[in-house]
Amino acid sequence: TYIYKNDVTKNYPVQATLQKNNESINFVDFSTDGLILQSGSVDHDHICYDTKNGEQFSMPSQVKDIDWSTYTLLYGWPVQGIWPPLKNPKDEEPVCVHRSNGRKYAAVGDKRGNIKLYNYPVISRDSSFQFQEAHAGHVGLCRFNANDSNLVTIGKTDRTILVWKLLIDA
C-alpha cells in the first residue's frame, strides 16, 4: 500500500512515495505544521513519515511530542490507554478513535459496538471514561463535529448512523 506525496503547485507530480504499510491504510493524520504524516493500517502498523523526503521515523519516541492536527490512529503515545489489558479476553479491542477538535476528549468505538469517551490524552489503561452501548456490532467510525457539541458514530454491522449530543460541559 502506498501513499503518494504530490506537488499541487506544479500539476501534481509525485515527489515522494511512502510505501512501508503492508496492508490497506485506514487512518492518516498530519502534524499541525504538515511536516509529519502518520498512517495506520488494518494489520496494526503505525508508521510515521517525514513529508519532505518520505523517510520513515524509526523510533516511536521520535514522534511522542508531535502536535497532531487530527488524531484518528488506534496507536501512539496519546491513545495508549484505550487498549484493554490482554489478560481480560472479554474486553474488546478498539477499532476507531477520534480526538475532539478542542483536544479535550477522545471517542473510541470497539468491536462490540460500544462507545467510550475519555479525557484526552489517554495515557493510562486506568483512565476513566464514559461508556455507552451503541451499535449491534463493530463500530465503523466515530467523529466529533466541528465545535465538539456532537459525536457521530457509524455501525459497521447494523448500518446505523447515531448522533450523540455531548452534555459534559453543560
Side-chain angles (χ1 to χ4, degrees), residues 41-42 95 99 131 139 153 163:
S41 58
V42 295
V95 291
R99 184 201 64 209
F131 174 86
V139 178
T153 61
V163 180

Side-chain angles (χ1 to χ4, degrees), residues 15 60 65 81 121 144 170:
Q15 291 184 316
D65 296 321
F144 289 95

Side-chain angles (χ1 to χ4, degrees), residues 82-85 88-95 108-114 116 118 138:
I82 69 173
W83 289 88
N88 190 351
K90 292 182 180 180
D91 287 332
E92 285 293 334
E93 71 180 71
V95 291
V108 178
D110 70 23
K111 285 186 175 180
R112 286 191 177 171
N114 302 314
K116 294 178 182 175
Y118 292 89
H138 196 109

